[in-house]
Amino acid sequence: QQKVQQSPESLIVPEGGMASLNCTFSDRNSQYFWWYRQHSGEGPKALMSIFSNGDKKEGRFTAHLNKASLHVSLHIKDSQPSDSALYFCAVSRGSGTYQRFGTGTKLQVVP
Amino acid sequence: NAGVIQTPRHKVTGKGQEATLWCEPISGHSAVFWYRQTIVQGLEFLTYFRNQAPIDDSGMPKERFSAQMPNQSHSTLKIQSTQPQDSAVYLCASRNTGVGTEVFFGKGTRLTVV
């Protein structure tokens, strides 16, 4: 069964700093990768997707995928207090399957 | 677009009672998912419908849990004889057809079994 692990469990970064979140998965047939953010009392909201090896940048957010290493990461540049939330990576084998979520990273951005 | 709507937002049931949770997916979305979120287990997949047909219920506890999608505008998750370990936030999500399309989550129903 696919295992999706995230590290670190929690992370504190200063405002304006860089936050780096990691996710490893176990199923080499995984094809679709998403990063979600969840604020307290809300459901997870998709931040960005990445389907090909390499980097993908959207504004302050950059995702990196290395399927051979079974690793995907998210980097948040110029972190803001509003970025404080729970972050999940989600992995699926195909477009017709469900996403399996990682264990989550709690990010706190301090002024 | 009001997003995925889940009702009620909070529900308290006594041990052994039945709980029914409701989900209204985004209009036009063909896939509906149910997940359960707890501190200990994180976000766990429960079940998935596509075009109202059950596709994958591999995450559903075999006893006491059932899900239905009687029409394209709503889905229900029913838990019979609720137990304290069923206490969790139950999340419904929907997405459109297409490769790698975005999944939209509701705000969840917090179920507390006392």
XYZ file of all heavy atoms in Angstrom, chain B residues 4-74:
574
model
N -17.964 23.281 -2.465
C -18.538 22.049 -1.934
C -19.192 22.382 -0.589
O -18.546 22.980 0.277
C -17.464 20.965 -1.750
C -18.063 19.713 -1.112
C -16.817 20.628 -3.092
N -20.447 22.021 -0.455
C -21.179 22.360 0.765
C -21.415 21.109 1.592
O -21.931 20.102 1.082
C -22.535 23.014 0.418
C -22.284 24.303 -0.357
C -23.333 23.307 1.688
C -23.541 24.929 -0.922
N -21.025 21.184 2.861
C -21.217 20.058 3.768
C -22.103 20.493 4.927
O -21.902 21.559 5.502
C -19.886 19.541 4.310
C -19.037 18.862 3.270
C -17.850 18.162 3.875
O -16.693 18.549 3.682
N -18.135 17.081 4.620
N -23.063 19.649 5.256
C -23.937 19.916 6.400
C -24.142 18.644 7.203
O -24.130 17.540 6.636
C -25.314 20.443 5.933
O -25.862 19.526 4.988
C -25.204 21.821 5.318
N -24.300 18.755 8.538
C -24.057 19.974 9.302
C -22.559 20.227 9.451
O -21.751 19.375 9.097
C -24.693 19.643 10.656
C -24.477 18.162 10.795
C -24.607 17.597 9.400
N -22.153 21.365 9.958
C -20.736 21.625 10.198
C -20.251 20.910 11.461
O -19.091 20.524 11.559
C -20.476 23.127 10.341
C -20.635 23.935 9.056
C -19.573 23.579 8.000
N -18.231 23.469 8.499
C -17.417 24.493 8.718
N -17.809 25.716 8.460
N -16.183 24.280 9.161
N -21.149 20.771 12.408
C -20.822 20.072 13.652
C -21.980 19.144 14.002
O -23.141 19.504 13.810
C -20.619 21.057 14.813
C -19.561 22.071 14.553
N -18.226 21.857 14.834
C -19.632 23.317 14.023
C -17.531 22.922 14.498
N -18.349 23.817 14.001
N -21.623 17.967 14.498
C -22.656 17.025 14.918
C -22.152 16.279 16.140
O -21.017 15.770 16.143
C -22.988 16.042 13.797
C -24.168 15.132 14.112
C -24.579 14.331 12.911
C -25.814 13.466 13.215
N -27.013 14.294 13.442
N -23.007 16.206 17.153
C -22.691 15.455 18.361
C -23.702 14.324 18.471
O -24.918 14.557 18.393
C -22.753 16.345 19.623
C -22.421 15.513 20.857
C -21.788 17.517 19.502
N -23.202 13.097 18.579
C -24.104 11.955 18.726
C -23.702 11.159 19.963
O -22.537 11.171 20.383
C -24.061 11.015 17.514
O -22.751 10.464 17.393
C -24.435 11.721 16.241
N -24.665 10.461 20.514
C -24.377 9.566 21.622
C -23.876 8.242 21.079
O -24.218 7.835 19.964
N -23.066 7.576 21.861
C -22.538 6.279 21.460
C -23.693 5.342 21.114
O -24.662 5.226 21.876
C -21.701 5.709 22.611
C -21.023 4.386 22.320
C -20.200 3.937 23.528
C -19.675 2.531 23.331
N -18.910 2.053 24.509
N -23.584 4.694 19.949
C -24.621 3.778 19.510
C -25.677 4.395 18.599
O -26.454 3.678 17.972
N -25.665 5.719 18.489
C -26.642 6.369 17.615
C -26.137 6.417 16.181
O -24.968 6.173 15.902
C -26.927 7.789 18.120
C -27.685 7.819 19.433
C -28.056 9.236 19.826
O -27.334 10.200 19.538
N -29.192 9.381 20.488
N -27.031 6.771 15.278
C -26.679 6.871 13.853
C -26.370 8.320 13.499
O -26.953 9.250 14.065
C -27.863 6.377 13.027
C -27.620 6.357 11.525
C -28.819 5.803 10.777
O -29.030 4.575 10.831
O -29.531 6.600 10.142
N -25.417 8.502 12.584
C -25.084 9.846 12.105
C -25.109 9.844 10.583
O -24.555 8.946 9.953
C -23.696 10.265 12.602
N -25.755 10.849 10.004
C -25.784 11.006 8.552
C -25.195 12.353 8.193
O -25.634 13.390 8.691
C -27.214 10.893 8.001
O -27.742 9.607 8.329
C -27.211 11.042 6.479
N -24.184 12.314 7.341
C -23.492 13.524 6.914
C -23.821 13.774 5.449
O -23.862 12.840 4.641
C -21.971 13.365 7.104
C -21.517 12.792 8.453
C -20.004 12.705 8.503
C -22.054 13.605 9.603
N -24.004 15.068 5.104
C -24.450 15.425 3.769
C -23.393 16.231 3.018
O -22.666 17.023 3.612
C -25.734 16.269 3.856
C -26.879 15.530 4.423
C -27.073 15.188 5.739
C -28.009 15.025 3.710
N -28.257 14.503 5.902
C -28.860 14.384 4.671
C -28.398 15.045 2.386
C -30.051 13.776 4.309
C -29.592 14.447 2.036
C -30.400 13.819 2.988
N -23.365 16.009 1.712
C -22.411 16.726 0.872
C -23.090 17.129 -0.430
O -23.712 16.302 -1.097
C -21.195 15.847 0.582
S -20.079 16.522 -0.673
N -22.915 18.397 -0.800
C -23.375 18.873 -2.100
C -22.137 19.250 -2.907
O -21.458 20.230 -2.586
C -24.286 20.093 -1.940
C -24.832 20.638 -3.239
C -25.722 21.852 -3.019
O -26.362 21.948 -1.953
O -25.752 22.718 -3.921
N -21.775 18.469 -3.919
C -20.561 18.779 -4.698
C -20.783 20.007 -5.585
O -21.910 20.480 -5.747
C -20.370 17.524 -5.550
C -21.736 16.936 -5.688
C -22.465 17.270 -4.414
N -19.704 20.492 -6.142
C -19.790 21.608 -7.087
C -20.561 21.138 -8.323
O -20.290 20.047 -8.849
C -18.389 22.114 -7.453
C -17.739 22.762 -6.220
C -18.446 23.103 -8.609
C -16.285 23.148 -6.396
N -21.497 21.963 -8.756
C -22.335 21.596 -9.893
C -21.483 21.279 -11.127
O -20.565 22.031 -11.477
C -23.274 22.766 -10.218
O -24.060 22.479 -11.357
N -21.779 20.137 -11.743
C -21.048 19.744 -12.943
C -19.856 18.850 -12.685
O -19.312 18.262 -13.625
N -19.437 18.744 -11.426
C -18.309 17.863 -11.109
C -18.771 16.414 -11.129
O -19.815 16.082 -10.570
C -17.720 18.217 -9.740
C -16.833 19.406 -9.780
N -15.998 19.744 -8.722
C -16.612 20.332 -10.745
C -15.318 20.831 -9.047
N -15.686 21.203 -10.271
N -17.949 15.561 -11.740
C -18.358 14.172 -11.925
C -17.856 13.237 -10.831
O -18.362 12.130 -10.684
C -17.849 13.661 -13.278
O -16.435 13.767 -13.321
N -16.858 13.662 -10.087
C -16.270 12.783 -9.072
C -16.479 13.368 -7.678
O -16.303 14.574 -7.482
C -14.777 12.589 -9.328
N -16.852 12.514 -6.748
C -17.061 12.926 -5.352
C -16.278 11.983 -4.448
O -16.321 10.761 -4.638
C -18.560 12.895 -4.984
C -18.749 13.126 -3.482
C -19.323 13.950 -5.771
N -15.549 12.564 -3.510
C -14.710 11.801 -2.586
C -15.120 12.100 -1.148
O -15.512 13.220 -0.825
C -13.236 12.210 -2.735
C -12.688 12.093 -4.134
C -12.851 13.123 -5.044
C -11.996 10.960 -4.528
C -12.353 13.026 -6.337
C -11.481 10.853 -5.814
C -11.655 11.883 -6.717
N -14.965 11.104 -0.294
C -15.094 11.303 1.144
C -13.766 10.935 1.806
O -13.173 9.893 1.484
C -16.201 10.422 1.729
C -17.592 10.896 1.465
C -18.417 10.499 0.452
C -18.344 11.825 2.243
N -19.623 11.137 0.544
C -19.612 11.951 1.640
C -18.070 12.566 3.397
C -20.611 12.788 2.147
C -19.055 13.401 3.905
C -20.314 13.503 3.288
N -13.313 11.801 2.718
C -12.113 11.569 3.513
C -12.460 11.788 4.987
O -13.438 12.461 5.330
C -10.996 12.559 3.131
C -10.308 12.300 1.817
C -10.858 12.749 0.619
C -9.082 11.623 1.773
C -10.211 12.518 -0.596
C -8.428 11.398 0.567
C -8.999 11.853 -0.601
O -8.354 11.631 -1.802
N -11.625 11.242 5.845
C -11.761 11.442 7.292
C -10.433 11.992 7.810
O -9.360 11.497 7.407
C -12.091 10.106 7.968
C -12.135 10.142 9.476
C -12.730 8.863 10.039
N -11.915 7.692 9.804
C -12.247 6.478 10.228
N -13.387 6.294 10.899
N -11.456 5.454 9.971
N -10.497 12.996 8.687
C -9.275 13.616 9.203
C -9.254 13.574 10.723
O -10.185 14.042 11.397
C -9.152 15.072 8.725
C -7.845 15.727 9.117
C -7.660 17.103 8.496
O -8.629 17.774 8.141
N -6.419 17.521 8.332
N -8.198 13.001 11.256
C -7.954 13.012 12.696
C -6.505 13.416 12.924
O -5.676 13.355 12.009
C -8.188 11.633 13.338
O -7.280 10.683 12.731
C -9.614 11.143 13.146
N -6.215 13.826 14.158
C -4.838 14.201 14.506
C -3.919 12.997 14.349
O -2.822 13.110 13.810
C -4.767 14.732 15.960
C -5.634 15.965 16.125
C -3.316 15.010 16.353
C -5.111 17.191 15.419
N -4.397 11.836 14.813
C -3.535 10.656 14.837
C -3.342 10.055 13.447
O -2.228 9.752 13.031
C -4.114 9.595 15.805
C -3.306 8.307 15.734
C -4.133 10.140 17.235
N -4.420 9.893 12.697
C -4.352 9.194 11.405
C -4.169 10.118 10.212
O -3.899 9.660 9.097
C -5.616 8.349 11.197
C -5.824 7.255 12.229
C -4.764 6.190 12.144
O -4.191 5.935 11.079
N -4.471 5.573 13.270
N -4.348 11.430 10.425
C -4.233 12.357 9.307
C -5.444 12.281 8.397
O -6.548 12.010 8.841
N -5.224 12.518 7.109
C -6.295 12.517 6.112
C -6.391 11.135 5.476
O -5.518 10.729 4.717
C -5.989 13.537 5.017
C -6.635 14.901 5.120
C -5.962 15.876 4.167
C -8.111 14.803 4.800
N -7.491 10.434 5.749
C -7.663 9.079 5.237
C -8.765 9.050 4.186
O -9.865 9.563 4.421
C -8.106 8.131 6.351
C -7.189 7.987 7.524
C -7.863 7.114 8.577
O -8.707 7.646 9.340
O -7.561 5.902 8.627
N -8.498 8.395 3.076
C -9.498 8.207 2.043
C -10.543 7.210 2.521
O -10.225 6.197 3.138
C -8.820 7.675 0.778
C -9.772 7.115 -0.239
C -10.534 7.967 -1.023
C -9.907 5.748 -0.406
C -11.420 7.454 -1.963
C -10.783 5.226 -1.350
C -11.541 6.078 -2.128
N -11.801 7.515 2.234
C -12.877 6.580 2.583
C -13.487 5.957 1.330
O -13.436 4.750 1.147
C -13.967 7.294 3.391
C -13.583 7.778 4.785
C -14.726 8.559 5.415
C -13.188 6.602 5.671
N -14.052 6.804 0.436
C -14.765 6.269 -0.705
C -14.855 7.305 -1.820
O -14.618 8.493 -1.606
C -16.169 5.801 -0.279
O -16.785 5.082 -1.355
C -17.067 6.976 0.100
N -15.210 6.836 -3.041
C -15.134 7.680 -4.234
C -16.251 7.276 -5.198
O -16.454 6.078 -5.441
C -13.733 7.481 -4.810
C -13.457 7.785 -6.252
C -14.043 8.850 -6.922
C -12.529 7.007 -6.953
C -13.734 9.119 -8.243
C -12.212 7.274 -8.270
C -12.809 8.327 -8.917
O -12.495 8.599 -10.222
N -16.982 8.274 -5.715
C -18.014 8.070 -6.713
C -17.619 8.784 -7.998
O -17.035 9.872 -7.957
C -19.363 8.663 -6.261
C -19.952 7.995 -5.054
C -19.601 8.388 -3.773
C -20.875 6.973 -5.198
C -20.161 7.779 -2.652
C -21.440 6.355 -4.090
C -21.072 6.767 -2.821
N -17.941 8.191 -9.119
C -17.787 8.889 -10.400
C -19.098 8.747 -11.151
O -19.599 7.639 -11.349
C -16.628 8.331 -11.220
C -16.358 9.137 -12.506
C -15.042 8.765 -13.147
N -15.010 7.388 -13.607
C -14.050 6.525 -13.312
N -13.057 6.878 -12.542
N -14.089 5.295 -13.784
N -19.641 9.902 -11.574
C -20.955 9.920 -12.235
C -21.986 9.131 -11.418
O -22.756 8.343 -11.977
C -20.847 9.355 -13.662
C -19.981 10.221 -14.554
O -19.994 11.453 -14.451
N -19.201 9.580 -15.410
N -21.942 9.336 -10.125
C -22.853 8.766 -9.125
C -22.610 7.286 -8.837
O -23.203 6.741 -7.899
C -24.324 8.941 -9.538
C -24.757 10.402 -9.678
C -26.147 10.497 -10.281
O -26.348 11.208 -11.266
N -27.101 9.801 -9.702
N -21.749 6.629 -9.602
C -21.504 5.206 -9.367
C -20.349 5.029 -8.382
O -19.337 5.730 -8.492
C -21.179 4.510 -10.680
N -20.478 4.107 -7.432
C -19.367 3.842 -6.519
C -18.203 3.214 -7.277
O -18.381 2.246 -7.997
C -19.974 2.866 -5.497
C -21.123 2.245 -6.202
C -21.636 3.228 -7.197
N -17.007 3.805 -7.114
C -15.828 3.341 -7.843
C -14.856 2.627 -6.907
O -14.275 1.607 -7.268
C -15.111 4.517 -8.537
C -16.053 5.224 -9.518
C -13.835 4.048 -9.222
C -16.554 4.334 -10.652
N -14.642 3.194 -5.734
C -13.628 2.647 -4.836
C -14.068 2.948 -3.404
O -14.180 4.104 -3.033
C -12.268 3.298 -5.132
C -11.123 2.708 -4.341
O -11.353 2.016 -3.329
O -9.960 2.940 -4.726
N -14.340 1.915 -2.646
C -14.687 2.113 -1.231
C -13.681 1.409 -0.326
O -14.001 1.000 0.782
C -16.112 1.656 -0.931
C -16.280 0.147 -1.053
O -15.318 -0.531 -1.504
O -17.352 -0.364 -0.706
N -12.448 1.296 -0.809
C -11.442 0.530 -0.091
C -11.077 1.114 1.263
O -10.524 0.425 2.107
C -10.173 0.386 -0.943
O -9.665 1.669 -1.285
N -11.377 2.387 1.492
C -11.046 3.011 2.769
C -12.170 2.975 3.796
O -11.988 3.365 4.941
N -13.288 2.473 3.391
C -14.459 2.468 4.285
C -14.365 1.312 5.274
O -14.170 0.155 4.869
C -15.748 2.305 3.473
C -16.081 3.501 2.623
S -16.954 4.743 3.543
C -18.622 4.141 3.345
N -14.535 1.591 6.567
C -14.699 0.482 7.514
C -15.899 -0.350 7.067
O -16.954 0.207 6.735
C -14.973 1.204 8.839
C -14.388 2.563 8.671
C -14.563 2.902 7.230
N -15.717 -1.670 6.998
C -16.722 -2.510 6.363
C -18.023 -2.565 7.143
O -19.106 -2.721 6.568
C -16.175 -3.928 6.151
C -15.051 -4.005 5.123
C -15.395 -3.307 3.827
C -14.205 -3.262 2.889
N -14.389 -2.262 1.807
N -17.912 -2.473 8.427
C -19.133 -2.468 9.240
C -19.483 -1.036 9.585
O -18.598 -0.202 9.743
C -18.905 -3.267 10.523
C -18.604 -4.725 10.271
C -18.318 -5.470 11.567
O -18.371 -4.846 12.648
O -18.025 -6.673 11.498
N -20.712 -0.744 9.678
C -21.287 0.504 10.203
C -21.217 1.696 9.255
O -21.957 2.648 9.438
C -20.656 0.881 11.566
C -20.788 -0.195 12.626
C -20.295 0.280 14.003
N -18.895 0.642 14.014
C -18.448 1.908 14.063
N -19.307 2.922 14.095
N -17.161 2.164 14.098
N -20.272 1.727 8.292
C -20.145 2.878 7.400
C -20.752 2.548 6.033
O -20.507 1.481 5.479
C -18.677 3.242 7.192
C -18.054 4.007 8.315
C -17.921 3.440 9.571
C -17.578 5.298 8.117
C -17.332 4.141 10.612
C -16.979 6.007 9.152
C -16.857 5.422 10.403
N -21.509 3.511 5.487
C -22.017 3.354 4.124
C -22.120 4.730 3.486
O -22.304 5.738 4.174
C -23.376 2.649 4.115
O -24.328 3.426 4.809
N -21.965 4.771 2.172
C -22.073 6.030 1.445
C -22.950 5.820 0.228
O -22.964 4.742 -0.363
C -20.698 6.547 1.032
N -23.667 6.875 -0.110
C -24.532 6.801 -1.283
C -24.449 8.110 -2.066
O -24.098 9.161 -1.516
C -25.986 6.564 -0.860
C -26.230 5.220 -0.215
C -27.710 4.994 0.051
O -28.469 5.936 0.256
N -28.117 3.743 0.044
N -24.802 8.014 -3.339
C -24.920 9.224 -4.158
C -26.164 9.047 -5.017
O -26.072 8.604 -6.171
C -23.674 9.454 -4.993
C -23.674 10.820 -5.619
S -22.067 11.395 -6.114
C -22.524 13.045 -6.664
N -27.319 9.361 -4.473
C -28.574 9.099 -5.173
C -28.797 9.983 -6.397
O -29.556 9.616 -7.301
C -29.643 9.374 -4.096
C -28.970 10.270 -3.107
C -27.530 9.899 -3.121
N -28.172 11.155 -6.425
C -28.258 12.014 -7.612
C -26.981 12.834 -7.697
O -26.159 12.825 -6.771
C -29.508 12.887 -7.576
C -29.586 13.736 -6.334
O -28.698 14.541 -6.075
N -30.642 13.548 -5.542
N -26.803 13.564 -8.780
C -25.536 14.260 -9.002
C -25.339 15.460 -8.094
O -24.250 16.041 -8.068
C -25.420 14.708 -10.463
C -26.468 15.710 -10.901
C -26.362 16.004 -12.391
O -25.591 15.379 -13.108
N -27.153 16.951 -12.865
N -26.393 15.829 -7.341
C -26.260 17.026 -6.517
C -26.028 16.738 -5.042
O -25.830 17.675 -4.269
C -27.504 17.908 -6.672
O -28.641 17.222 -6.221
N -26.043 15.474 -4.630
C -25.687 15.238 -3.246
C -25.251 13.802 -2.969
O -25.631 12.858 -3.680
C -26.792 15.698 -2.283
C -27.791 14.653 -1.915
N -28.924 14.405 -2.649
C -27.832 13.802 -0.859
C -29.606 13.451 -2.058
N -28.978 13.058 -0.983
